[in-house]
Amino acid sequence: MSVRDHILLNNSLKFPVIGLGTWQAEPSEIKTAIDTALEVGYRHIDTAFSYMNEEAIGDTLQEWFNSKKLKRGDLFITTKLPMPAVRPEDVEPYLRESLKRLKLKYVDLYLIHCPIGLKPVDDNVNNTFPTLPDGTVSLDPVTDLPATWKAMEAQVDNGLAKSIGVSNFNCVQIEKIVRHARILPVTDQVELHVEFMQKPLRALCKLHNIVVTAYAPIGSPGRTKFYAARGQKAPPIPCLIHNPLVGEVAKKHNKSNAQVLLRHLLQHGLVVIPKSCNPKRIKENFQLMDFQLDSEDMKKLDSLDKGAKGRTFDFLLFKGIDQHPEYPFVDEY
Ligand SMILES: NC(=O)C1=CN([C@@H]2O[C@H](COP(=O)(O)OP(=O)(O)OC[C@H]3O[C@@H](n4cnc5c(N)ncnc54)[C@H](OP(=O)(O)O)[C@@H]3O)[C@@H](O)[C@H]2O)C=CC1
Ligand SMILES: O=C1CO[C@H](CO)[C@@H](O)[C@@H]1O
């Protein structure tokens, strides 16, 4: 099955199917990562206010624009509204702050990072995981998703975002948005990989013409760092890269295991945003268009799906987060 390098969105915006993920990419690593990615052909970068690297990304993009090697219109840049700002009045100020850090006039895609709203505990906007003195996360129980979505739509109207979408929304939450939306979300960015193929959510999104973007497409093996920084032990991380079946398919095509994991998702019509700060792996993760998995390969890889049991992102490292009424990770979605 052939795969196009972009999906054409309703507003004629081209959504490149391979993007560079940047969670846990330190500002000091960003220049090399973005330079390498743009040189090998990536045109889509995924970041978030809470990744604390928007400024470094903005600096590197400016160098590319100043050197005239690329124009703003050549790129597709995504960033996200953080959890302490999931309320209507915070949408525009946070988007403006992200744009200031990115040194851009608009983003191509602005996402609600997570349906869970948090209550800030201080004036520090960079404190994106506010915690109460008892160690639990500071929940905002009155998160109003339809009202927040209305404020997201206003960002398309005012030209600060070319398109808008959601992330970590489950089927019920997607339906809630779709019922109220004037502008539909273009994507739901969720955990999705060979062991967690998100069948019900994909079916629902297809119905509404919403593209599904796969985060952690190679299993997010580096996330121990995020837990360690918070004094916690990471939960078991699935060894997708070393799965023998994936290895078999990779050997047949003379490609790496990571390339097979990514190509499998592309052939399912998904957008993938693998993260790497390593030039060799950044290149490897982009070389996905010179081979095709046949139906037997796809069947083999599909057999690895564990359904809801394959989920590994539950945000439970933020103590008490599952007490929020919009906690999304309650079912396979
Ligand atoms: N909306 C949300 O809530 C979330 C969004 N995301 C987004 O999705 C992106 C991707 O997800 P992420 O969690 O980073 O996980 P990925 O599945 O992309 O895995 C990234 C990890 O795999 C390593 N890696 C990358 N390429 C290869 C390769 N070819 N072979 C072996 N190892 C490799 C990287 O290390 P190295 O850098 O050393 O190469 C890194 O440790 C994020 O960066 C972020 O942009 C992620 C999580 C949640
Ligand atoms: O994007 C993200 C990566 O995952 C983290 C949790 O495990 C989130 O906090 C963050 O929003």
Side-chain angles (χ1 to χ4, degrees), residues 23 48 50-51 80 83 113 129 168 215 223 226-227 313 315 317-318:
W23 178 43
S50 66
Y51 298 170
K80 315 187 187 93
M83 291 193 274
H113 200 143
F129 302 111
N168 295 302
Y215 78 60
R223 86 184 92 141
F226 190 72
Y227 283 79
F313 275 78
F315 288 39
L317 83 164
F318 307 115

Side-chain angles (χ1 to χ4, degrees), residues 113-129:
H113 200 143
C114 183
I116 300 168
L118 301 181
K119 235 191 242 160
V121 290
D122 52 33
D123 291 339
N124 178 7
V125 288
N126 292 329
N127 182 4
T128 48
F129 302 111

